[in-house]
């Protein structure tokens, strides 16, 4: 009986595998990329819809610049010991890229929500 249980446990451990850091980073990058595509398409659609309204376009471009500056500052708050791209692995380890993509996706999704609000007006 012990042998059968041991064989079952060993076969399950050999057949199962864990998700590695590289795979988690790739998934986070794909998720961010999809959100970025949605955001870019909304920006393009808004600009196309309001192409004759120069005030809207000017204000919208300014809001995009301010949003990017806001995200950059939030990044500095989230990763305060971050000094340069070269030493990021020393400070945060191999998970930094995944954390960065998850951070960017979160703020990209927030921007998407604010862009959807502009369509309701």
């Amino acid at each position: 009986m012990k042998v059968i249980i041991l064989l079952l446990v060993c076969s399950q451990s050999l057949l199962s595998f864990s998700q590695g850091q590289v795979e988690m980073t790739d998934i986070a990058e794909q998720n961010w990329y999809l959100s970025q595509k949605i955001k870019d398409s909304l920006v393009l659609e808004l600009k196309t819809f309001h192409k004759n309204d120069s005030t809207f376009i000017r204000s919208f471009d300014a809001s995009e610049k301010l949003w990017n500056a806001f995200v950059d500052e939030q990044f500095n708050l989230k990763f305060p010991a971050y000094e340069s791209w070269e030493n990021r692995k020393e400070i945060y380890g191999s998970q930094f890229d995944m954390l960065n993509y998850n951070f960017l996706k979160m703020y990209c999704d927030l921007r998407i929500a604010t862009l959807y609000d502009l369509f309701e007006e």
Side-chain angles (χ1 to χ4, degrees):
M1 184 67 165
K2 289 182 181 180
V3 173
I4 293 173
I5 293 174
L6 184 62
L7 285 173
L8 285 172
V9 169
C10 288
S11 68
Q12 289 298 320
S13 65
L14 291 175
L15 296 175
S16 65
F17 59 92
S18 63
Q19 189 176 28
Q21 185 64 53
V22 172
E23 293 169 338
M24 291 188 296
T25 300
D26 287 344
I27 290 168
E29 182 181 16
Q30 289 170 358
N31 290 338
W32 168 74
Y33 179 74
L34 291 174
S35 288
Q36 188 67 31
K37 280 179 56 174
I38 292 169
K39 183 183 93 69
D40 290 344
S41 68
L42 289 174
V43 166
L44 186 61
E45 192 172 338
L46 276 168
K47 284 186 170 186
T48 303
F49 185 72
H50 294 282
K51 65 184 172 190
N52 297 328
D53 187 356
S54 61
T55 305
F56 178 86
I57 297 294
R58 189 173 45 256
S59 297
F60 185 74
D61 288 340
S63 74
E64 281 292 296
K65 288 178 186 176
L66 290 171
W67 180 262
N68 291 331
F70 170 72
V71 171
D72 290 342
E73 290 305 315
Q74 289 298 106
F75 181 83
N76 291 333
L77 287 173
K78 180 80 173 175
F79 302 103
Y82 177 84
E83 294 172 8
S84 70
W85 286 100
E86 289 77 28
N87 69 352
R88 70 184 188 271
K89 300 284 187 193
E90 296 171 13
I91 297 170
Y92 294 102
S94 62
Q95 66 181 353
F96 178 78
D97 291 330
M98 180 191 69
L99 294 172
N100 184 31
Y101 287 126
N102 285 332
F103 172 85
L104 291 173
K105 183 189 181 329
M106 180 179 68
Y107 280 95
C108 190
D109 290 344
L110 286 172
R111 184 61 176 163
I112 288 169
T114 62
L115 292 175
Y116 276 130
D117 287 343
L118 293 175
F119 282 105
E120 292 177 2
E121 295 177 356

